[in-house]
Amino acid sequence: MRANTLVYDVGSTYTKAAAFRLERGKFTFLGRGQSLTTLDNIMDGAARAEQSIREQGVDFDETVQRYSSCSAAGGLRMVALGYMPRVTAKAAKEVSMTAGARVMQVVSAEEPLAYRKEVLLEINPDIILLSGGTDGGDESCALENAEMICELHSRATVIIACNKYAQREVAEKLARAGVSYVRVPNIMPTIHELNVKPAREAIHEQFIKQITRAKGLMEFRDSLADHTVVPTPGAVLLASELLARGTYEQEGAGSLILVDIGGATTDIHSILPELEKLTIEERGLVINNEKQFAYRTVEGNLGLRVSATGIPEAVGPNAILRAMDDPDGTTPEGVLAFAQKLEDQPDYIPQTEEERMLERAMATCAIRTALRRHAGHYAEVEDPVMGIMAGTAMGRDLRHVHRVLCVGGIFVHTEEEAGRTMVLRSFEEPGISLLPLEEPDVILDRNYLLYAMGVLGKHYPDAACSFLKEYVGAATEE
């Protein structure tokens, strides 16, 4: 069978490729390959990844369609400036979710102007999300922040996404100061509504501009069927959304949790399609991310390489020892030394069984911590003012989720049963957290295909959804 569809993922270290045959509305997976990313010319690494698939005996049609995601640029550094602290934080997370941006700081009008300036000077962001005020509401905050940005002569691109009645004056101020900006509709036009798609698209355009500065990436992008590159985290999230929600033609697999653990961060996504049916009253008068269809949290200090020491710092070395298959002979000092080694040598591969057990234990602790920070909890004390009784479920409710998808290098390189055990341990003893009541089904993306289906789902949603349901064993659950 000859491949007619190829999807790349250009990473900072490796360029991956996955080959498929699309025929009669169905994708068939034929093979995957990878090569070191060639920073002197992106095209060379992509060609070698493709060649590694050919060497497995997979032939390609002359008219093969190529697509790609990319994480080589890391992600745009974004600071969100807004009016109300919690609302700005929620909006910023939603806007950045699939756009290729990393929220470095959220600053509200409650912070002194001097502090806001200090944040911008220290972070030196690529993107400033300028929000604040519902349409017809506060204008002063956005105008004050615009003047501050002008005074600092910021080189960031400002996404003007505030009160629509303040946008014209904000744009005029930025234009006079020579600050780059893009105007989009207010991301929060009313207190119970988020409109994030235009802002996401604007940030994604900035992401594309950044990555095409890499040598060969402009030529690479032009060789793709859709002439665009999707941020890799966004592609993975798009795949999980498609799987959970389904399409107009077919039902999805339902609620799921996505665990994405990498060298720098541990990301948790939860996709709960049933929340799309909530009325405005059920969602609450002020928009609440925990009641959105898709919700993501990123733990920037919990990674298996460049932030490895953050794991024992968060849970303590003894917790990592307890998570090991066989901790005999391993000391707390040994745990700390191993974490430091991984951080100092990000390309290091564990050489002994003890090191492999340690890495799996660190992953378990990172996932466990990230899950509990993502999920809601039972209230422990009564709050008469808010009308909350002890034992009330608050926040993101994952109690009835039955499926967990896992993405990351450790799941590709760890034996399947050991990988599943590692994840299941992270769900044990939930305490007050609103985690699944029953042991969930754990699916490891060992072929690293979720990113590919996220990219292809934009063009072939039904074929991609069918493939994903079969991939995770949900094809018969419609």
Side-chain angles (χ1 to χ4, degrees):
M1 190 178 289
R2 297 168 64 90
N4 59 10
T5 307
L6 185 68
V7 189
Y8 300 105
D9 175 46
V10 181
S12 299
T13 306
Y14 290 100
T15 295
K16 284 78 69 177
F20 302 88
R21 178 75 185 180
L22 174 61
E23 195 167 40
R24 297 175 183 172
K26 181 179 180 180
F27 280 115
T28 301
F29 172 58
L30 301 181
R32 68 179 298 273
Q34 69 179 35
S35 172
L36 287 171
T37 296
T38 47
L39 296 178
D40 54 337
N41 192 323
I42 297 296
M43 294 287 287
D44 293 342
R48 292 173 189 168
E50 182 173 335
Q51 180 60 29
S52 71
I53 298 177
R54 294 179 186 274
E55 291 170 358
Q56 299 167 29
V58 179
D59 292 325
F60 289 79
D61 284 352
E62 291 183 4
T63 57
V64 61
Q65 299 289 294
R66 294 175 172 84
Y67 303 87
S68 185
S69 63
C70 179
S71 59
L76 298 172
R77 296 159 59 85
M78 187 173 86
V79 170
L81 300 176
Y83 184 55
M84 297 171 63
R86 290 190 63 201
V87 171
T88 303
K90 294 176 188 303
K93 286 181 179 179
E94 285 287 320
V95 167
S96 68
M97 193 172 283
T98 61
R102 292 177 294 148
V103 182
M104 306 300 292
Q105 189 76 29
V106 175
V107 187
S108 72
E110 293 182 359
E111 305 289 355
L113 193 59
Y115 173 78
R116 289 179 245 167
K117 289 181 180 179
E118 183 180 337
V119 166
L120 292 182
L121 288 170
E122 182 176 329
I123 294 177
N124 190 23
D126 302 298
I127 295 282
I128 298 174
L129 178 67
L130 184 58
S131 62
T134 56
D135 288 342
D138 179 79
E139 298 181 29
S140 61
C141 175
L143 294 172
E144 182 180 62
N145 282 330
E147 290 175 359
M148 173 188 66
I149 294 167
C150 294
E151 289 175 14
L152 297 177
H153 302 288
S154 175
R155 295 183 180 180
T157 296
V158 180
I159 308 297
I160 304 175
C162 58
N163 181 347
K164 67 180 182 181
Y165 297 105
Q167 286 200 10
R168 180 176 178 179
E169 189 173 348
V170 166
E172 289 173 349
K173 289 178 183 291
L174 297 177
R176 284 195 297 269
V179 176
S180 174
Y181 69 88
V182 178
R183 283 180 67 175
V184 298
N186 192 352
I187 59 174
M188 194 171 180
T190 69
I191 59 174
H192 56 259
E193 177 185 4
L194 278 180
N195 178 30
V196 299
K197 186 176 180 181
R200 276 184 188 167
E201 292 175 348
I203 293 171
H204 185 233
E205 282 300 312
Q206 299 304 313
F207 173 83
I208 294 297
K209 287 179 182 179
Q210 173 173 298
I211 65 172
T212 50
R213 295 188 188 118
K215 190 172 182 181
L217 238 164
M218 183 70 79
E219 180 186 357
F220 175 69
R221 187 187 69 167
D222 291 342
S223 73
L224 302 175
D226 56 1
H227 304 292
T228 191
V229 179
V230 179
T232 305
V236 172
L237 180 59
L238 288 170
S240 57
E241 288 182 353
L242 178 63
L243 171 62
R245 178 190 273 151
T247 69
Y248 289 115
E249 299 298 324
Q250 59 183 302
E251 290 184 10
S255 299
L256 59 88
I257 296 169
L258 174 67
V259 174
D260 186 352
I261 182 167
T265 68
T266 297
D267 303 356
I268 305 293
H269 308 260
S270 54
I271 320 297
L272 308 178
E274 62 270 20
L275 294 183
E276 292 188 297
K277 301 174 184 177
L278 294 180
T279 64
I280 289 176
E281 291 76 18
E282 290 172 316
R283 289 183 189 277
L285 290 177
V286 178
I287 197 69
N288 189 320
N289 273 10
E290 288 83 353
K291 292 184 179 179
Q292 294 298 300
F293 158 64
Y295 179 51
R296 175 183 68 168
T297 51
V298 178
E299 302 302 332
N301 65 328
L302 302 176
L304 289 178
R305 288 300 181 270
V306 297
S307 56
T309 58
I311 300 174
E313 286 174 3
V315 303
N318 286 324
I320 295 173
L321 289 174
R322 288 192 293 271
M324 289 182 68
D325 298 325
D326 181 9
D328 287 349
T330 306
T331 65
E333 291 75 20
V335 172
L336 296 174
F338 181 67
Q340 190 65 59
K341 185 176 187 177
L342 293 180
E343 194 162 299
D344 293 340
Q345 304 174 48
D347 57 348
Y348 181 76
I349 298 174
Q351 299 298 308
T352 66
E353 183 57 29
E354 181 187 12
E355 288 187 338
R356 286 188 282 273
M357 285 192 296
L358 262 174
E359 185 183 45
R360 292 197 298 269
M362 289 176 61
T364 294
C365 291
I367 296 168
R368 177 186 291 147
T369 302
L371 281 169
R372 281 150 181 76
R373 293 176 180 176
H374 179 93
H377 63 278
Y378 294 105
E380 295 185 272
V381 295
E382 184 178 354
D383 186 340
V385 175
M386 299 299 295
I388 297 171
M389 299 178 62
T392 300
M394 303 176 64
R396 191 71 166 176
D397 191 348
L398 308 179
R399 289 176 293 180
H400 302 292
V401 177
H402 301 295
R403 185 175 284 112
V404 179
L405 273 63
C406 303
V407 182
I410 192 168
F411 299 117
V412 175
H413 302 298
T414 299
E415 292 182 4
E416 190 162 0
E417 190 56 38
R420 282 201 176 93
T421 299
M422 179 178 73
V423 175
L424 287 173
R425 283 178 178 169
S426 66
F427 283 92
E428 293 175 351
E429 299 178 7
I432 64 170
S433 298
L434 301 180
L435 292 174
L437 297 172
E438 300 177 1
E439 184 178 281
D441 293 329
V442 175
I443 300 101
L444 311 182
D445 185 16
R446 290 177 59 80
N447 287 314
Y448 195 60
L449 298 182
L450 279 180
Y451 85 90
M453 285 299 115
V455 173
L456 294 174
K458 297 175 62 180
H459 306 281
Y460 311 101
D462 286 301
C465 186
S466 294
F467 181 93
L468 284 167
K469 288 197 292 183
E470 190 171 321
Y471 189 53
V472 305
T476 61
E477 295 183 14
E478 293 187 16

